[in-house]
Amino acid sequence: MASPGFPGRLLAKAVDGHLSFQNAELFVASGGKRGPQVDILTPVPYRILTQSVPLENGSQEVKPGLFTIRLYDATMINENQIGLVEALDGAPLNPAIT
């Protein structure tokens, strides 16, 4: 099933220059789209705001931010082992072409 905003794809196209999603304004200005991303975060500390507070009207109401973060355990691939990642994204390949 395709995600809204990028027909025929499950993941949004990669966007350069957003400092690993830490600069949301630059991410959006560079064409970043909401939804699952093809880019991943490597295991280092990040400052990613997942909630926002409006600056106008003195309101302290917390609203959802641009990003939702889900943490997963890292998979260790040792020497002499092979890791395989399958992403079911994009249009299916034509089976007639070999």
Side-chain angles (χ1 to χ4, degrees):
M1 168 185 270
S3 292
F6 23 98
R9 300 184 60 92
L10 297 175
L11 305 172
K13 291 183 180 180
V15 175
D16 291 329
H18 52 73
L19 303 172
S20 296
F21 302 101
Q22 295 180 95
N23 188 331
E25 288 87 4
L26 185 57
F27 174 78
V28 172
S30 299
K33 301 291 184 189
R34 181 179 180 159
Q37 302 296 311
V38 72
D39 290 330
I40 61 168
L41 297 175
T42 56
V44 297
Y46 293 96
R47 293 181 52 108
I48 298 174
L49 301 176
T50 58
Q51 297 180 344
S52 62
V53 177
L55 298 176
E56 66 277 350
N57 303 329
S59 171
Q60 292 301 311
E61 177 186 357
V62 176
K63 295 184 177 180
L66 183 61
F67 301 107
T68 301
I69 306 297
R70 286 186 277 174
L71 299 178
Y72 295 92
D73 291 334
T75 299
M76 299 299 295
I77 301 171
N78 297 316
E79 273 187 60
N80 299 319
Q81 291 183 325
I82 297 172
L84 176 65
V85 176
E86 181 179 12
L88 302 175
D89 186 39
L93 297 175
N94 184 345
I97 299 174
T98 58

